[in-house]
Amino acid sequence: MPTPDCHLLLEVHDLSGLARPLVDAVLRIDLGARITPDATRGTVQVEGRFRKAEVIAAASRIGCEVLRVEERPPSPKVAGSTWFGWA
């Protein structure tokens, strides 16, 4: 079963110092993920091929306290993409 496209906005308690480890943890799930941490807002925007539960578990393993997860529609660039033949 193929992994779905997923676009999440995570709100994390005290992201300072954990942004890089969180980026690394998500990249271990999907090397091609697009990840945008914003330490001032305490949010991380993540888009790629993974399941929501995988990202939450990865964040928990490195000590990130995920306060809220918002699922968003894939960005237009990704939604219409046929990268590697996937639609």
Side-chain angles (χ1 to χ4, degrees), residues 1 4-5 9 12-13 16-17 20-21 28 33 35 40-42 45 47-50 55-58 65 75 80 82:
M1 184 169 162
D5 284 333
L9 180 66
V12 180
H13 175 61
S16 62
R20 185 70 228 182
R28 280 192 285 282
I35 308 160
T40 58
R41 293 181 55 212
Q45 185 170 293
E47 190 169 8
R49 293 192 177 273
F50 46 76
V55 173
I56 294 169
E65 182 184 347
S75 66
T82 56

Side-chain angles (χ1 to χ4, degrees), residues 21-71:
L22 182 56
V23 167
D24 292 342
V26 173
L27 288 174
R28 280 192 285 282
I29 299 168
D30 176 10
L31 188 57
R34 290 150 306 280
I35 308 160
T36 310
D38 183 344
T40 58
R41 293 181 55 212
T43 61
V44 181
Q45 185 170 293
V46 185
E47 190 169 8
R49 293 192 177 273
F50 46 76
R51 289 179 174 73
K52 178 174 140 180
E54 293 173 314
V55 173
I56 294 169
S60 295
R61 279 193 298 272
I62 64 162
C64 276
E65 182 184 347
V66 178
L67 303 174
R68 186 174 63 89
V69 179
E70 179 183 322
E71 292 186 62

